[in-house]
Amino acid sequence: MSHPSVTIIGAGLAGSEAAWQLARRGVTVHLYEMRPHKTTEAHQTDQFAELVCSNSLGARAVDRAMGLLKEEMRRLGSLIIEAADACALPAGGALAVGREAFSDYVTRAISEPPRIIVHREEVTEIPSGPTLIATGPLTSAALADRIRALAGQAYLSFYDALAPIVTLESINTPPCWRQSRYDRDSGESGGDYINCPMNEAQYRAFVQALREAERIPLRQFEREDEKFFEACLPVEVLAQRGDDALAFGPMRPVGLRDPRTGKRPFAVVQLRQDNLAGTLYNLVGFQTNIRWPEQKRIFRMIPGLEDAEFVRLGQMHRNTFINAPALLRPTLQWRDRDDLFFAGQLIGAEGYVGSAAGGLLAGLNLARLVSGQQPVVMPRVTMMGALFHYVTHAEPKDFQPMKANFGIMPPLQPKVRRKKERYQKYAERALAALGVWMKANDLLSQPTPGG
Ligand SMILES: Cc1cc2nc3c(=O)[nH]c(=O)nc-3n(C[C@H](O)[C@H](O)[C@H](O)COP(=O)(O)OP(=O)(O)OC[C@H]3O[C@@H](n4cnc5c(N)ncnc54)[C@H](O)[C@@H]3O)c2cc1C
């Protein structure tokens, strides 16, 4: 009996997970990895699923977004989570792993099944036939060119300049209020923007804090690309350029009136809706390279954000990603080609675990496709379902990568006010829905890699 075969490009977090999911369903996988012949700016070894920076895969507890994501993957038979559990180190509430042991575990697992054929070479063209592209944020230049040609110039980004995102419910109103500048586009809500006002003393203290903030040092390859920063300056660099640079830049108060005073404030931080459900807001123009704990401390100085719950913190680094909302279906298939899939950081599912989760779904769906079954979409109330719904349905114009977080999940009915209880309920709802979905799609019994 002949087995179907597929091509996977990239043996990182996403590609390794996908290869495993396919092999255990009896599909022959040709897995292409360019290391060690050609390496990226961040990888150090020739191992699969190398963790290029931190050795943490985030929180363990299932009532935390990252913990829930991992638990869903664990139930779906993820190789990456199995490896992480096997190589776990003591790290409090986080699942940290021995970096080398982890990659070694994945590399061995991938090298064992007879149906995974590893090719150590760079792929420079998009193959025909069933294919998954999982070449990550540092996709080689030749292949990135091919992806850009396929997607269109505007649909491939090379740089992340992310502003922090907070949950709507953690914003204090007052002092914040809704208004668009000059009352443009103000519908029933009163305006599309939430404004956080500052008086002069507050503004000066804030600028000083930004100037003194500890920053993340740029890596060599990022310094070489510093020209990208000029078009999209971090707030701390603007603060350095002059006392009033921010007040005349992203914090200018023109066209706004504080309803408490009836006057224009000295400066404002504007928050713009970030997801369709309207539960998340980003700090407009606040891309930053400040260290994450410092960001929380300094941005909570902004009036109205004293209790802010950050679902994403700002960052700036080299990151190749496609405009997934414009290009992919929620099954992770290319819009116009059924047998072409994308996964990993390249689709904007941020982080090690989010990347591997995409590999899991794409691998599962590719296996279904080549076996004559319909690819599946995950329930939106699961963390995986919410993440892949987000990356394939966000506003394409402003699309930026997103990490797993509860803000992208459909709200609970009825609402639960206390955060701890709310997160617990999200997790219970997600795992119950996952169980029903797995049963409906015959995923409860786990096949072995021999197929
Ligand atoms: C510098 C940096 C630091 C990061 N730090 C963290 C962190 O601390 N925590 C976190 O959660 N996330 C981090 N990320 C984000 C992201 O989670 C990781 O990049 C993650 O490894 C992405 O998984 P992936 O499978 O999409 O890509 P990768 O793990 O990068 O795998 C892609 C693979 O494809 C190969 N490849 C590329 N082009 C080709 C080609 N043309 N032909 C064949 N093979 C190719 C690469 O060699 C690589 O092995 C970081 C990203 C970067 C760039």
Side-chain angles (χ1 to χ4, degrees), residues 9-15 32-35 38 40 42-43 50 52-54 56 121-124 134-140 143 219 221-222 317-318 343-346 350-353 355 403:
I9 315 174
L13 277 299
Y32 287 82
E33 170 52 58
M34 66 178 185
R35 290 177 292 124
K38 182 167 184 171
T40 76
H43 289 84
E50 179 180 331
V52 289
C53 188
S54 151
S56 171
E121 60 188 270
E122 179 191 4
V123 175
T124 54
T135 42
L138 306 170
T139 294
S140 74
L143 187 63
R219 289 171 181 236
F221 64 90
E222 289 165 331
H317 64 77
R318 168 98 174 262
Q345 185 84 16
L346 191 55
E350 175 87 13
Y352 299 144
V353 186
S355 295
K403 251 193 160 79

Side-chain angles (χ1 to χ4, degrees), residues 44 84 93 101 118 133 155 287 342 354 396 409:
Q44 308 278 331
V118 175
I133 303 182
Y155 293 111
Q287 54 276 3
F342 280 76
M409 287 196 132

Side-chain angles (χ1 to χ4, degrees), residues 175 177 179 183 197 253 255-266:
W177 81 99
Q179 188 187 3
D183 294 316
L256 296 168
R257 200 180 345 91
D258 185 339
R260 293 174 309 160
T261 61
K263 291 188 186 149
R264 187 162 105 173
F266 185 82

Side-chain angles (χ1 to χ4, degrees), residues 139-218:
T139 294
S140 74
L143 187 63
D145 274 350
R146 303 316 307 156
I147 298 171
R148 182 168 40 194
L150 182 73
Q153 176 80 18
Y155 293 111
L156 185 72
S157 303
F158 290 99
Y159 224 81
D160 251 355
L162 303 182
I165 297 179
V166 298
T167 59
L168 174 65
E169 59 192 5
S170 70
I171 301 167
N172 295 326
T173 47
C176 301
W177 81 99
R178 273 188 185 275
Q179 188 187 3
S180 300
R181 286 188 204 281
Y182 303 107
D183 294 316
R184 279 186 214 121
D185 313 317
S186 45
E188 275 173 29
S189 64
D192 291 343
Y193 290 82
I194 296 178
N195 301 287
C196 312
M198 281 190 194
N199 61 31
E200 186 171 355
Q202 288 166 328
Y203 172 79
R204 304 273 173 233
F206 183 64
V207 167
Q208 195 54 30
L210 288 174
R211 287 176 177 166
E212 289 166 2
E214 209 187 328
R215 301 179 194 182
I216 300 167
L218 295 178

Side-chain angles (χ1 to χ4, degrees), residues 264-292:
R264 187 162 105 173
F266 185 82
V268 292
V269 174
Q270 285 205 301
L271 309 179
R272 182 170 52 210
Q273 186 172 330
D274 199 89
N275 63 339
L276 283 177
T279 52
L280 303 179
Y281 277 72
N282 65 60
L283 280 66
V284 180
F286 268 62
Q287 54 276 3
T288 174
N289 216 25
I290 294 174
R291 282 198 187 281
W292 286 4

Side-chain angles (χ1 to χ4, degrees), residues 301-317:
M301 290 169 69
I302 298 169
L305 299 191
E306 298 85 354
D307 310 312
E309 183 189 346
F310 291 92
V311 300
R312 182 180 80 192
L313 286 158
Q315 49 179 300
M316 302 190 75
H317 64 77

Side-chain angles (χ1 to χ4, degrees), residues 40 43 79 87-88 95 103 114 118 129 141 154-155 177 183 197 263 279 297 321 324 340 344 383 436 451:
T40 76
H43 289 84
L79 171 66
C87 304
L95 178 54
S103 295
V118 175
Y155 293 111
W177 81 99
D183 294 316
K263 291 188 186 149
T279 52
R297 178 181 66 78
F321 62 96
L340 178 61
M383 198 69 250
V436 172

